[in-house]
Amino acid sequence: MTETVIHLHKDSPPAPDAFTDEARGTLTETIIDVVHDAEPRPVDPPAGPAPADSWIAERQAYLAEAPPVVPTFLRNAAEFVNAARWTASYYGHVTAFHAIRLPVYALRLLTRAPRGLARMILRWGRWVADTEARPVEAKAAASADIEAWLTLSREHSRRVRPRRVASLAVATATGITTLVGCFLSPGWTLTATLAAATLVGLNGKKHDSRPLVTRYVATNVLRRLDSTEVIDALAAIGIEGKKGRRGVEFAAEVMRDGPGWRAEVDLPPGIEATAVLEKRAALAAAMRRPISTVWPSADRTAHPGRLVLWVAQRDPAKAGRKLWPLMKQGTADVYEPLPYGFDPRGNLIEITLMYSNLLVGGIPGSGKTSCALAIVLGVALDPTAELWIYELKGSGDLDSVKPVCHRYVSGDEDEDLEAALAGMRSGIAEYQRRAKFIKSLPASEVPDGRRVTRALAEKYPEQRLGPRVIVIDEVQELFTHADYKDEAAALATRLIKKGRAYGLILILLTQNPDAPSLPSSVSSSVGTRLCLAVMDWRANNNVLGTGAYDRGLRATDISIDEQGTGILARGREGFTVRAAFIKQTEAEDIGKRALALRMAAGTLTGQAVGAAVEEQDVETILDHLRAIWPDGVETVHSHRLVEALAAYRADLYRPWLDMDAAGASTALSAALKPFKVSTRQLTIRECCGGAKGLRYADLPAAEDGE
């Protein structure tokens, strides 16, 4: 073997072309030694003594992840007050529970009193007669041990005589006292007798009788989690180390975490935490716990094989509801996260709408109305936010916010669908107006980027830059309508992509999250997604994004009985959340409070003040042509463009279909003339030879502010 050793020295000029220009400035000499027959070197350095600072390093590593010295509930005043309140509530409830049943307990004791009295008399008689010594005397007599028998007899007489005298005295005193008490104080005597009888009843319980005190069996309060259960459950689903390899290891001890327990587990080498997420139902079955109490998740901040298993002490599906934070008082700010619901641990989960959009999908009955209420009521409590709601089911589920809406439509007729289309067109017109204004501002006023902010909205009130939230419930009615689906998909996609920076927020809710009901151009553009219970992985990925099912974001594991529960995702990460349940009567009260806030702030507009809403439409035929132009096609004949336009915007272009091909081509040419775009004779062999047509390159490029 030959080994080449390169030594670098200073103070001598380097060899020509030996190093780069940068190296020449620092290295001065190169000597290359070639060593023949060199021994191979180990790649791992030999184990030597521990470095001097290893003790310090270990202490630093400990402090980096050390548990808090003072428990959380003592460091946080709110948590301490909450814990104290619940502790007092618990013991107060237990005290009241048993206090109200005291007469029942007393009656049970009285029924046991005769048996208890008989047992006491029997024991007293055995004590007076000293029956425990009889077997010893009998044994001495049987063995003809005269001396022992005489000794035992004398001892027996010495012990029995005082007991008989004491028993006679107690019986006489008790009888006289009871007789006198019956004549002098009959009430007190009866009370004392009953009290004595109840005490005697404590001794009258049968071995197979039911307990004296009524016990509440909490079937939804589960046993404590321990490491043995975790290891056994993981092994039952096939997660265990192979022969000769390390198995499951705990990164931290199993600890209390809110209303449950938390276990941090390092899975065997080569196994990712997603392997457990895929088998959540099997894991719950192995642990013999309800699936709604078992919540595995991956801790990617550590490594892909780190599993965090949280197990609820109480079944969240059977727990009492937690109130929405804004139920009784408070206001909201759409520029900030809005309170939405709670995770399985009971922690408040907020949802961010600003600079994002929201897609909510789930099968019928999965709790979409609860989600919609928690969202729109939060928006309604921001007096500066403008609400446009199109409830295309016609059920009136969102009527509680109708008094504060700039535009409110409820119904499933064609005119209602057309109103929703008009609302999105108006949203596009609004973002174009705002884009022009934002573009005109100096960079000093938009240091965080050219987008609408609370500061800009307050500085330029005349520009009306407050958030505009457009909610379309049952949006599948638009996306599956034969006449409106193409335009609806194009408008929603454009509004989602370009409106968010300018305060335009689109919220879409659907109960059919399949491919036809949810165009990919829409679902792939939404930033925030909420998937309720769905039937298969396709619907799951349609809402949460491609690959979500494989990453462990699985709304298919959510039961339809867990209404309002879903996977909330922004980007690739997601978590389980349950919408705060708000009754319709409570929603009406919140709506009234929102109305009062807006009246005080003077921000009621549109239908809320009885004005006719003018839904602007600044889209031109150029926008419509871009929307319907076939992908990857450079030239299209005019008559084909007219057919596509009529399907896209029947209200504008359907009359052109009544013309002949030449007339329709002329109408298209006339409509394009103001934009200095003209049709020309084109020969397209794949279509129908030569005819008037248009090249896509002839269309001017679209701009945000046009």
Side-chain angles (χ1 to χ4, degrees), residues 42-60:
V43 295
D44 293 328
D53 60 347
S54 61
W55 185 88
I56 296 295
E58 290 179 1
R59 305 286 84 73
Q60 291 174 341

Side-chain angles (χ1 to χ4, degrees), residues 342-362:
F342 305 92
D343 66 6
R345 295 169 172 80
N347 300 320
L348 176 66
I349 298 298
E350 297 176 321
I351 195 167
T352 301
L353 297 179
M354 201 63 188
Y355 312 123
S356 183
N357 298 278
L358 177 63
L359 172 63
V360 181

